[in-house]
Amino acid sequence: MTVTRFAPSPTGRLHVGNIRTALHSWMLAQRDGGRFVLRIDDTDAERSEERYIDAIRADLAWLGLDADVEVRQSQRFALYQARFDALRAAGRIYPAYETAQELDLKRKILLGRGLPPVYDRAALQLSEAERAQLEADGVRPHWRFKLDHDAPIVWDDLIRGPQQFDPRTMSDPVIRRADGSWLYMLPSAIDDADLGITHVVRGEDHVSNTALQLQMFAAMGVTPPAFAHEALLTGSEGKLSKRLGSLGVDHFREEGIEPQAVIALLARIGTSDPVEPLVDPAPLIAALDFTRFGRAPARFDEAELAQVNARIVHQLPHAAVAGRLPEGMGAAEWEAVRPNLTRVADAGDWWQVIEGPVEAPGADADTRAYLAAAAEAAEAIDWAGDPWHALTDRLKQATGRKGKALFLPLRQALTGRDQGPDMAALLPLIGPTRAVERLRRAAG
Ligand code: GLU
């Protein structure tokens, strides 16, 4: 069974970049009838905050990305300790005593010689006595995972294709601090193994972590998950944009963006499939295919999101939006105004137009006479059928007006605006009483 996970660190709000990887992980689990795990990476007690955990849950709920299981790393320390002990006993974890300053100096020396700044494993050269002396001096070690240098690290990435890393060019990663706290790398691999994660979808900034973690899976004797590393997101200007880091669900909601629009856009940008404004994500899920994801950065454009949003709004049924419409606004009113909206919240403006009062622009004598005739005609027509066509047909015959001269004064008098929803849909909702009254008032 396919099991995917989304593993945010609760040190801030989700932004559009991590929403995208969450979405693809969720879609993959949905596509395969599998499970989607939300893993809260809260090993860093100082930087993790409860309010961010709540916000992550709320954001995912708004998007409809429901997790089947939720785990928190801070509740899994006993598991990490057990794996740590086993790996240490097997010689794959070792203590290191350098200070941050010493490590920095070593790095600078190597870089100064034009060499890659790889950790020299000096800690492995310490004798028992030297180690005992350091401990006696009160120096607490941090812990490194010992990479196996014997063979290249290879995997077939679902997006990037065959990948290869030479472990000799990589430092043994620090996996635990001197105070016993855990760094990201090992707990993540332990959890992926323990939770039976079959596919890890994440940003390509994690590619070299994957190389290291593959060795951890091997050291633990478990089959690693498959990996899909997505190209990063760029702003519409084509550059890695700072702004993207602050764009999240709160912003989308403020802008009147529907969750379906976020999903439709993020599902497809950066892939060779077109963005489709679908209210129901099922076809997007069924068509998810990592081989169609590009290696080039995916371009996220807020203007495109707004366009997709408008096309989503035009399809939303009344039941989906009723709670957000003005009191009394029913399905007929919603369907009449929906094609003119870019955001659901703007439906209130048209409700106002239907309910009135409306303020028509001033008109010249000729137009006023025309509107007086319109008021009379509006009293005479049959409102049960198609009153707009009945009214305009009658006025066309009576006045010889056509096109804009026929329609625009009516629209202005009836709605107070030059543009708007189809009058054939709007007029029955305004109804005979209000329509006649508005036409009379505009006729002066
Ligand atoms: N907490 C990590 C992050 O947010 C998770 C990375 C991963 O998906 O393994 O970068």
Side-chain angles (χ1 to χ4, degrees):
M1 175 161 79
T2 297
V3 185
T4 67
R5 63 19 169 225
F6 173 52
S9 306
T11 55
R13 293 296 299 262
L14 297 184
H15 56 73
V16 56
N18 30 57
I19 290 172
R20 176 164 165 258
T21 53
L23 172 64
H24 291 141
S25 296
W26 175 82
M27 288 171 72
L28 177 59
Q30 299 293 309
R31 188 196 71 187
D32 295 356
R35 290 198 307 167
F36 175 58
V37 177
L38 172 60
R39 187 184 85 199
I40 304 291
D41 281 8
D42 58 349
T43 54
D44 188 336
E46 238 157 67
R47 292 180 57 229
S48 299
E49 291 185 41
E50 210 55 38
R51 66 189 170 114
Y52 290 131
I53 300 178
D54 292 339
I56 287 166
R57 291 194 193 111
D59 289 353
L60 293 176
W62 183 77
L63 290 158
L65 308 183
D66 297 322
D68 300 296
V69 187
E70 181 184 314
V71 298
R72 288 176 69 150
Q73 289 198 315
S74 59
Q75 290 167 0
R76 300 167 63 80
F77 290 154
L79 173 67
Y80 307 153
Q81 185 66 51
R83 291 284 199 181
F84 175 91
D85 291 341
L87 288 168
R88 192 178 167 202
R92 294 304 298 273
I93 288 177
Y94 63 92
Y97 297 85
E98 293 91 347
T99 63
Q101 289 86 334
E102 282 167 338
L103 291 172
D104 196 43
L105 188 63
K106 285 185 192 226
R107 248 194 313 270
K108 284 192 177 131
I109 291 171
L110 289 170
L111 286 170
R113 290 198 204 129
L115 296 169
V118 177
Y119 176 60
D120 60 7
R121 290 185 163 175
L124 281 175
Q125 310 306 319
L126 295 172
S127 67
E128 268 316 314
E130 285 168 321
R131 237 195 329 264
Q133 185 57 54
L134 283 162
E135 300 268 347
D137 291 347
V139 184
R140 310 279 300 136
H142 55 276
W143 303 86
R144 288 186 185 264
F145 176 80
K146 189 177 171 214
L147 292 172
D148 176 358
H149 281 181
D150 289 348
I153 303 167
V154 295
W155 79 94
D156 202 0
D157 196 274
L158 297 177
I159 294 174
R160 297 164 62 85
Q163 302 292 299
Q164 178 160 346
F165 280 80
D166 180 351
R168 291 167 305 182
T169 66
M170 308 181 89
S171 295
D172 290 339
V174 177
I175 49 141
R176 200 171 186 184
R177 297 187 191 89
D179 65 3
S181 63
W182 298 97
L183 286 146
Y184 153 74
M185 203 71 69
L186 182 63
S188 180
I190 293 172
D191 283 335
D192 286 338
D194 184 67
L195 299 167
I197 303 300
T198 59
H199 296 76
V200 171
V201 181
R202 58 188 179 188
E204 67 180 10
D205 49 331
H206 282 287
V207 169
S208 61
N209 290 343
T210 296
L212 302 171
Q213 288 173 330
L214 282 171
Q215 285 222 352
M216 295 176 185
F217 290 112
M220 292 188 284
V222 297
T223 310
F227 288 89
H229 289 96
E230 309 199 321
L232 299 181
L233 224 49
T234 66
S236 50
E237 63 290 349
K239 287 187 301 215
L240 269 177
S241 136
K242 235 198 192 153
R243 176 165 168 72
L244 289 186
S246 64
L247 285 190
V249 165
D250 275 356
H251 173 78
F252 296 145
R253 295 178 78 146
E254 269 161 37
E255 294 293 306
I257 301 294
E258 303 297 317
Q260 294 95 331
V262 177
I263 286 175
L265 185 72
L266 292 182
R268 288 284 174 82
I269 53 173
T271 78
S272 48
D273 292 317
V275 172
E276 293 177 88
L278 301 177
V279 171
D280 176 2
L284 298 172
I285 292 167
L288 175 72
D289 179 356
F290 286 114
T291 66
R292 300 182 68 77
F293 280 52
R295 296 279 305 265
R299 202 168 138 276
F300 175 80
D301 182 354
E302 277 195 89
E304 188 179 11
L305 178 61
Q307 281 165 18
V308 172
N309 191 58
R311 294 176 65 189
I312 295 278
V313 169
H314 300 165
Q315 303 168 62
L316 290 176
H318 179 255
V321 296
R324 291 188 281 155
L325 298 180
E327 186 71 28
M329 187 166 183
E333 288 89 355
W334 167 248
E335 274 156 31
V337 308
R338 186 174 66 170
N340 271 76
L341 301 178
T342 55
R343 320 176 327 155
V344 173
D346 297 340
D349 294 349
W350 293 111
W351 177 243
Q352 179 64 43
V353 164
I354 292 168
E355 293 278 281
V358 301
E359 201 55 57
D364 59 20
D366 194 30
T367 307
R368 289 206 304 273
Y370 170 55
L371 291 171
E376 260 175 54
E379 285 188 298
I381 57 167
D382 173 12
W383 278 79
D386 177 353
W388 176 249
H389 287 107
L391 178 68
T392 50
D393 285 350
R394 199 178 261 254
L395 288 169
K396 196 191 289 177
Q397 274 177 16
T399 66
R401 285 181 180 242
K402 53 186 181 198
K404 194 173 160 190
L406 178 70
F407 299 120
L408 185 60
L410 297 176
R411 179 181 282 281
Q412 287 173 331
L414 289 164
T415 70
R417 305 193 183 194
D418 293 346
Q419 279 149 20
D422 181 9
M423 286 303 297
L426 213 50
L427 188 56
L429 302 173
I430 294 171
T433 314
R434 286 185 292 224
V436 170
E437 189 260 326
R438 288 177 196 184
L439 290 167
R440 279 229 180 88
R441 213 153 67 86

